[in-house]
Amino acid sequence: MTERGSFASKIGIILATAGSAVGLGNIWRFPVETGTNGGAAFIIIYLACVLILGIPMMTAEFIIGRRTHTNIATAYKQLAPGEPWFLTGYAGMLCVTLILSYYSVVAGWTLKYAMSSALTEMSAVSDTAAFFNDFASSTWAPMCYSVVFLVITHLIIERGIERGIESFSKVLMPILLVIMIVLVAGALSMPGAKTGVEFLLKPDFGKITGDVVLSALGQAFFSLSLAIGCLSTYASYFKNDVNLGQTAASVVGLDTSVAILSGFIIFPAVFSVAGASPDAGPGLVFITLPNIFNNVFSGMPALGYVFSLLFYVLLVLAALTSTISMHEEVTAFVHERYQVNRLRAASVMTVISIVLSVLCCLSFGPLKDFTPFFGMGFFDFFNYVTAKFIMPISGIILCLFVGWRLKRQVVVEELTNRGSLHIPAWVCSLFIFFLRWMAPIAIGLIFVNELGIWK
Ligand code: PHE
């Protein structure tokens, strides 16, 4: 048997797990969703989703990992021997591999923007849409950036749990939070700050529709890295005295704070230039924002330089702590299941994700017209199939597994650290009831909505 690593400190656990959750989902996707779904009203619904659904589901995932101290597929096999539940573990690994493949493309773009900001190339761009499109549709450059990103992820993973994931998260996450605070202060001093803040804080309840509620649920899911095994894998490295519920609450709190803070960076900036719209969609961060940095700071180029550089470095760091967690899930499985050393196990995942990521990069350029998957290319298809199928279905199965299949005694032992934490019995019962009924129904609704069956 190989010696199993573990996280050494509680703060390391929180920062590494929050690192998985905090990513492009918070700084890129959250503002896009908030912008297109009406601002403050969307945020209120989102907060309800992460608090009501996110904390219990994250705790449920932690229970599976910490109970078994093993990779996701073996964990299901140990908890329900001879039953097909382990297939969810394989579906989770397939899902993170596909997500990592397209996510590393966007992560590569953030690296390109950070480099271009550092080299002052960014501040000289006059047509930011053309700049983005030329770059993303070229053959080699995007591919090189995403491969570099995956190689950096590989090098961290290869160092193991404590020396790799934990020690990097302990450095990267505080830097990320400091950069965010500097950027929020900068954004709030921009000319359009007041309108931006109102957009985020003054809800227009008329904007809440069924669609907005379900988009908020979907965003909560993606942002918290829920239900596909990343969090179980991290929890398999938790020590037995870690309070699972409290850790989930801290991680959800950090993830949500980062999402809201990024709203406070982006919307004050967006409302600072005439003609920029909060519902610019996915181009918000790569087309609208660079344009704003150049325009708002045209009289103070040094400030524009610092702002743009810090913002894209922030995106790079956030993406990196997430790609690490996706990579680790499969690395842990290969390492333990096939008894190969971590370097080899990590190399397998790195090679697979490089190949798939190259295909995703090319789907913006030379393979643009290659759309064999229901009219979609690789990038869009991977995004679609993971977010709309595998994640919600795995989420429902996770709730049903912990709610119905695990014995109540196992759940209570994990919640209370075998009786050493004083958690009242009614809290445990409520938790199980929630996983049995409320969460699967809520996720079922997102699923049906995303498939477009009603509307
Ligand atoms: N939660 C990450 C983000 O917000 C993305 C992610 C999804 C990471 C699934 C791991 C697993 O960017």
Side-chain angles (χ1 to χ4, degrees):
M1 270 305 287
T2 39
E3 182 63 30
R4 223 170 177 269
S6 67
F7 290 120
S9 64
K10 289 192 180 152
I11 184 73
I13 285 178
I14 291 177
L15 292 179
T17 315
S20 167
V22 171
L24 298 173
N26 304 59
I27 310 171
W28 177 52
R29 200 172 186 273
F30 178 79
V32 170
E33 292 284 312
T34 305
T36 46
N37 285 300
F42 172 84
I43 296 184
I44 293 176
I45 307 288
Y46 176 77
L47 287 179
C49 294
V50 287
L51 295 177
I52 300 170
L53 199 69
I55 297 177
M57 282 189 64
M58 189 176 283
T59 310
E61 245 197 286
F62 286 167
I63 289 177
I64 296 177
R66 212 268 302 266
R67 180 76 182 182
T68 53
H69 291 293
T70 184
N71 64 78
I72 184 68
T74 314
Y76 276 106
K77 281 190 181 158
Q78 274 184 18
L79 292 168
E83 296 170 28
W85 294 97
F86 69 91
L87 293 173
T88 333
Y90 285 102
M93 285 189 281
L94 172 69
C95 189
V96 288
T97 308
L98 299 181
I99 295 182
L100 181 58
S101 308
Y102 77 80
Y103 198 92
S104 59
V105 175
V106 184
W109 297 345
T110 67
L111 198 56
K112 156 76 182 171
Y113 271 58
M115 298 275 287
S116 298
S117 299
L119 300 172
T120 66
E121 185 193 357
M122 215 59 232
S123 47
V125 174
S126 55
D127 183 347
T128 52
F131 177 81
F132 174 72
N133 293 330
D134 286 350
F135 166 69
S137 62
S138 60
T139 308
W140 295 105
M143 217 189 270
C144 294
Y145 279 103
S146 62
V147 170
V148 167
F149 210 93
L150 287 168
V151 170
I152 298 173
T153 306
H154 172 97
L155 294 175
I156 297 174
I157 286 291
E158 194 195 293
R159 292 168 63 91
I161 308 308
E162 193 185 331
R163 282 180 53 239
I165 301 175
E166 182 171 358
S167 58
F168 276 86
S169 304
K170 272 160 93 176
V171 175
L172 298 183
M173 290 303 285
I175 299 179
L176 184 141
L177 292 174
V178 171
I179 295 181
M180 289 215 92
I181 290 166
V182 173
L183 287 175
V184 171
L188 289 181
S189 61
M190 285 183 170
K194 197 163 163 283
T195 327
V197 170
E198 274 175 11
F199 181 72
L200 287 167
L201 294 185
K202 267 206 188 145
D204 171 358
F205 288 107
K207 289 200 170 140
I208 300 181
T209 59
D211 220 29
V212 168
V213 174
L214 296 165
S215 302
L217 266 166
Q219 170 61 18
F221 230 70
F222 184 83
S223 184
L224 296 175
S225 320
L226 269 182
I228 49 173
C230 278
L231 299 171
S232 292
T233 304
Y234 270 20
S236 72
Y237 304 119
F238 290 4
K239 297 211 167 108
N240 287 336
D241 62 349
V242 170
N243 182 333
L244 298 184
Q246 210 174 58
T247 305
S250 310
V251 171
V252 169
L254 268 172
D255 186 71
T256 308
S257 311
V258 170
I260 305 275
L261 284 178
S262 62
F264 276 97
I265 296 171
I266 289 167
F267 292 109
V270 165
F271 285 103
S272 294
V273 289
S277 156
D279 56 3
L284 193 62
V285 159
F286 294 105
I287 297 173
T288 313
L289 269 194
N291 193 16
I292 291 166
F293 293 150
N294 291 349
N295 277 314
V296 173
F297 296 111
S298 58
M300 303 163 279
L303 216 55
Y305 175 85
V306 173
F307 215 83
S308 166
L309 179 60
L310 283 182
F311 183 77
Y312 291 107
V313 168
L314 171 74
L315 273 171
V316 169
L317 299 184
L320 185 59
T321 49
S322 295
T323 54
I324 292 173
S325 72
M326 299 179 213
H327 197 298
E328 175 59 26
E329 179 176 341
V330 180
T331 300
F333 169 74
V334 176
H335 175 50
E336 291 169 359
R337 171 74 178 74
Y338 299 102
Q339 299 284 306
V340 294
N341 64 30
R342 265 189 82 82
L343 171 61
R344 286 226 180 121
S347 306
V348 170
M349 179 57 171
T350 305
V351 170
I352 295 174
S353 39
I354 286 180
V355 172
L356 293 174
S357 155
V358 163
L359 293 173
C360 290
C361 281
L362 292 177
S363 59
F364 287 92
L367 292 184
K368 200 159 70 204
D369 299 322
F370 182 70
T371 52
F373 314 104
F374 312 102
M376 286 178 270
F378 287 102
F379 185 99
D380 290 338
F381 180 65
F382 288 0
N383 186 358
Y384 182 83
V385 81
T386 53
K388 305 212 166 172
F389 284 90
I390 311 180
M391 280 183 114
I393 294 174
S394 305
I396 294 174
I397 297 176
L398 165 76
C399 295
L400 298 179
F401 183 74
V402 177
W404 295 97
R405 176 62 185 82
L406 280 191
K407 288 202 178 72
R408 181 187 158 91
Q409 186 205 347
V410 169
V411 175
V412 173
E413 275 176 13
E414 288 306 310
L415 286 178
T416 62
N417 291 348
R418 295 177 195 261
S420 63
L421 298 173
H422 297 292
I423 295 179
W426 68 266
V427 173
C428 299
S429 302
L430 186 66
F431 174 73
I432 294 172
F433 175 78
F434 184 83
L435 291 177
R436 286 184 167 188
W437 299 105
M438 308 204 5
I441 291 173
I443 303 161
L445 289 177
I446 317 178
F447 184 52
V448 173
N449 171 69
E450 302 242 347
L451 288 181
I453 290 175
W454 77 56
K455 260 188 225 176

